């Protein structure tokens, strides 16, 4: 049995109830076979056993008072997965589906994603099973304050820097930051995605969606295609989806479908992205409600059916395992030429197989959606320097980083005999830097 397969068997034994974590580890360790074979010293140093085990896992109680006077209790998490190349860095997710396995898979993916950005950030992730939907601003504030009242002792500008993810946007980051500052009595860049008046960076709000489209542009260009004139389906209608849609439209593409967990909207002539943005960001509406006054836009109640819509490009940007083998076959059958992942692990392993087998260009999450965390690292740089860069300065850096990630991943795939397979390429390119750093620092 190869070293990678031995470590995979170990993880299956130690984390049997965490299917998302196992899914992520299986893909990565399978990709790393040629690298492990070339570097027998990894096995001697127990490198992969250490790589798949979080450095620290924190779970805590989050009690808070609802507006009606009832006491509510949620569970909070922060997984500090790897500090090999820098302080732990990664988002916080507030969603009822959150449990340890989800946070572990996200934290594990984050290690390699952050490495791919080329910036000195380690991997972490956190969150809670708290559902911000249907809660008042006051309840969200109370929850965030209670969450930070425990989390503050584990994070810090040079230690662990959380940010947003599903259910955590500008409003939540503001409440979390306020409470941290109040308890610690220090103004430091302990969170990213902050508001522009208190240490945030221009472009961070747009960064994941914009970065996804910059990556897509580069991937399409490798085969002589461009975004102009293409029909694009984007699942989700949150932070990532909205700004991906914005950039696609700016570059001459047409967004034909978007969704939320209640269903999807569809217009073959193109959706009005501003209506989504205003409805979702300001009104916190359901996607159906954003288009009540619009003729020509249809609504379908099953969000999973979004992949049946004919499109040239698909950008799954909602959540994990939202696109399965059947969806992938439908997309390919309808002429889809490229898929880039805005969400983390949105395509099932069987769906990825369909794309690779049929030569559909496929950009895996840890490469394609790294623009968000890369711009978070740029926000950290500005905080450390006590400075503020212009929109164009940050946007130019983001674009360079995304182009570099594409090239690094494509080159690594080619070098290890998997030309065109960005799954293997991104996993190897991200891993090599982390492995070097781990080897240099001894058994820790
Ligand atoms: P948001 O909370 O802003 O939006 C999430 C969107 O996805 C909403 O439209 C939501 O619909 C939908 N969604 C979430 N869960 C489900 C589900 N179980 N089934 C169907 N639809 C669902 O989150 P983000 O846009 O920030 O995150 C989206 C994805 O992108 C996640 O996978 C996240 O990990 C990833 N990501 C985010 C980054 C960031 O910077 N924000 C960076 C890199 C990756 P509804 O409102 O109905 O729940
Ligand atoms: O999945 C991700 O990369 C994020 N949610 C962004 C993390 C960050 O620290 O900006």
């Amino acid at each position: 049995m190869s070293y990678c397969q031995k470590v995979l068997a170990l993880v299956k034994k130690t984390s049997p109830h965490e299917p998302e974590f196992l899914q992520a580890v299986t893909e990565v360790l399978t990709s790393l076979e040629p690298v492990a074979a070339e570097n027998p010293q990894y096995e001697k140093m127990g490198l992969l056993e250490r790589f798949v085990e979080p450095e620290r896992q924190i779970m805590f109680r989050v009690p808070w008072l609802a507006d009606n006077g009832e006491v509510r209790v949620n569970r909070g998490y922060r997984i500090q997965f790897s500090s090999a190349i820098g302080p732990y860095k990664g988002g916080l997710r507030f969603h009822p589906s959150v449990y340890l396995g989800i946070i572990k898979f996200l934290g594990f993916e984050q290690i390699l994603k952050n490495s791919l950005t080329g910036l000195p950030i380690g991997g972490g992730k956190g969150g809670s099973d708290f559902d911000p939907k249907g809660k008042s601003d006051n309840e969200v504030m109370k929850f965030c304050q209670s969450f930070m009242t425990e989390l503050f002792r584990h994070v810090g500008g040079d230690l662990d820097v959380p940010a947003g993810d599903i259910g955590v946007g500008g409003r939540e980051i503001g409440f979390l930051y306020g409470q941290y500052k109040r308890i610690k009595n220090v103004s430091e860049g302990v969170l990213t995605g902050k508001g522009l008046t208190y240490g945030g960076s221009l472009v961070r709000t747009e960064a994941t969606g914009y970065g996804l489209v910059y990556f897509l542009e580069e991937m399409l260009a490798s085969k002589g295609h461009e975004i102009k004139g293409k029909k694009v389906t984007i699942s989700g209608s949150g932070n990532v989806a909205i700004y991906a849609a914005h950039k696609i439209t700016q570059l001459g593409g047409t967004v034909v479908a978007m969704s939320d967990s209640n269903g999807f909207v569809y217009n073959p002539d193109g959706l009005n992205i501003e209506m989504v943005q205003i409805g979702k960001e300001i009104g916190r509406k359901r996607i159906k409600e954003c288009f009540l006054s619009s003729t020509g836009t249809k609504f379908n109640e099953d969000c999973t059916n979004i992949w049946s819509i004919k499109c040239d490009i698909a950008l799954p940007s909602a959540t994990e395992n939202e696109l399965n083998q059947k969806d992938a076959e439908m997309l390919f059958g309808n002429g889809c030429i490229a898929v880039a992942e805005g969400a983390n692990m949105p395509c099932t392993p069987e769906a990825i197989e369909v794309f690779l087998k049929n030569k559909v260009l496929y950009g895996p999450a840890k490469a394609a959606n790294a623009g968000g965390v890369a711009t978070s690292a740029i926000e950290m740089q500005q905080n450390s320097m006590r400075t503020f860069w212009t929109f164009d300065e940050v946007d130019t850096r983001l674009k360079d980083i995304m182009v570099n990630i594409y090239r690094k991943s494509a080159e690594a795939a080619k070098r290890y005999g998997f030309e065109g397979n960005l799954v293997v390429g991104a996993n190897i390119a991200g891993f090599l830097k982390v492995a070097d750093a781990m080897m240099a620092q001894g058994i820790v």
Side-chain angles (χ1 to χ4, degrees):
M1 201 193 264
S2 72
Y3 179 38
C4 288
Q5 292 311 310
K6 273 192 253 174
V7 175
L8 183 56
L10 179 81
V11 178
K12 282 182 178 157
K13 223 166 95 186
T14 53
S15 307
H17 304 303
E18 295 165 357
E20 298 84 3
F21 179 57
L22 282 177
Q23 185 181 332
V25 172
T26 302
E27 183 203 279
V28 170
L29 289 183
T30 308
S31 296
L32 294 181
E33 291 279 8
V35 182
E38 198 178 78
N39 292 280
Q41 69 276 22
Y42 289 168
E43 186 164 6
K44 269 202 201 107
M45 292 290 279
L47 188 126
L48 290 178
E49 290 87 337
R50 291 185 285 130
F51 175 60
V52 298
E53 183 67 24
E55 287 176 22
R56 195 170 297 112
Q57 309 186 48
I58 302 148
M59 283 173 65
F60 51 96
R61 179 172 70 196
V62 189
W64 55 282
L65 206 55
D67 289 347
N68 65 6
E70 279 175 23
V71 175
R72 302 277 163 84
V73 181
N74 288 96
R75 193 169 284 177
Y77 302 86
R78 186 71 186 167
I79 305 264
Q80 299 179 331
F81 219 120
S82 168
S83 62
I85 65 173
Y88 310 105
K89 180 84 196 87
L92 296 172
R93 176 178 292 190
F94 293 170
H95 192 272
S97 62
V98 163
Y99 77 104
L100 191 65
I102 294 272
I103 302 297
K104 271 176 79 177
F105 114 69
L106 290 164
F108 180 69
E109 288 285 290
Q110 200 82 45
I111 305 171
L112 300 181
K113 181 194 306 195
N114 293 3
S115 167
L116 281 170
T117 67
L119 299 167
I121 39 178
K125 200 86 189 187
S128 174
D129 56 2
F130 173 74
D131 186 358
K133 270 202 213 93
K135 304 289 189 300
S136 68
D137 284 351
N138 186 49
E139 289 178 320
V140 171
M141 181 178 76
K142 284 190 182 154
F143 174 80
C144 288
Q145 289 177 341
S146 180
F147 186 85
M148 186 52 89
T149 300
E150 172 60 34
L151 189 69
F152 88 94
R153 43 186 123 248
H154 310 291
V155 295
D158 291 318
L159 166 62
D160 182 357
V161 182
D165 194 81
I166 292 177
V168 178
R171 174 182 60 170
E172 290 75 18
I173 294 292
F175 294 147
L176 291 162
Y177 183 77
Q179 184 72 353
Y180 179 83
K181 187 158 53 69
R182 189 170 187 208
I183 299 175
K184 277 293 252 297
N185 198 24
V186 57
S187 283
E188 60 172 330
V190 66
L191 292 159
T192 58
K194 299 185 290 300
L196 298 177
T197 50
Y198 61 93
S201 172
L202 284 163
V203 195
R204 178 61 190 89
T205 304
E206 295 84 354
T208 312
Y210 278 22
L212 173 67
V213 178
Y214 296 149
F215 183 92
L216 171 70
E217 253 190 316
E218 199 61 20
M219 186 167 78
L220 287 173
S222 72
K223 292 280 181 267
H225 297 297
E226 57 176 10
I227 288 168
K228 197 161 174 225
K230 299 289 190 298
K231 290 199 186 295
V232 184
T233 292
I234 306 178
S235 62
S237 48
N239 174 263
V240 178
I242 288 172
Y243 290 96
H246 194 251
K247 186 53 86 179
I248 288 285
T249 313
Q250 227 179 53
L251 295 176
T254 305
V255 178
V256 292
M258 290 181 81
S259 62
D260 62 22
S261 58
N262 294 119
F264 71 90
V265 287
Y266 166 61
N267 188 336
D269 298 324
L271 295 171
N272 181 334
I273 304 308
E274 214 180 321
M275 284 169 89
V276 183
Q277 185 175 357
I278 293 172
K280 281 282 176 184
E281 284 186 344
I282 300 170
R284 296 190 187 274
K285 290 183 183 167
R286 307 312 301 153
I287 195 143
K288 183 186 181 181
E289 298 166 341
C290 301
F291 288 96
L292 286 180
S293 61
S294 152
T295 52
T297 299
K298 294 190 194 82
F299 177 72
N300 183 309
E301 268 184 16
D302 183 354
C303 65
T304 61
N305 265 342
I306 191 171
W307 309 118
S308 65
I309 298 295
K310 186 173 164 52
C311 63
D312 305 304
I313 295 166
L315 304 178
S317 303
T319 195
E320 56 276 356
N321 293 326
E322 55 162 312
L323 196 164
N324 63 24
Q325 179 177 356
K326 178 177 77 48
D327 300 324
E329 281 161 356
M330 246 179 330
L331 282 167
F332 174 64
N334 282 334
C336 177
I337 59 165
V339 178
E341 295 183 329
N344 285 307
M345 207 167 77
C347 297
T348 63
E350 297 77 21
I352 298 172
E353 219 25 71
V354 172
F355 296 138
L356 294 178
K357 196 178 70 197
N358 291 296
K359 305 257 180 294
V360 174
L361 293 169
Y362 170 70
K366 62 174 68 70
N369 75 27
V373 74
T375 308
S376 278
I378 296 173
E379 181 173 330
M380 290 164 71
Q381 293 170 357
Q382 291 169 82
N383 292 164
S384 299
M385 293 168 76
R386 306 239 178 266
T387 191
F388 190 71
W389 295 329
T390 65
F391 193 96
D392 283 349
E393 275 175 293
V394 181
D395 193 39
T396 303
R397 282 170 206 244
L398 168 63
K399 193 164 189 176
D400 283 351
I401 290 170
M402 297 315 295
V403 168
N404 259 323
I405 292 177
Y406 173 77
R407 294 191 182 153
K408 262 196 275 196
S409 306
E411 275 161 24
K414 191 169 171 192
R415 190 180 143 216
Y416 285 90
F418 290 84
E419 189 163 358
N421 183 335
L422 295 175
V423 177
V424 172
N427 284 331
I428 292 180
F431 175 75
L432 286 174
K433 180 177 175 185
V434 176
D436 276 3
M438 288 178 75
M439 290 299 281
Q441 292 170 44
I443 298 172
V444 290

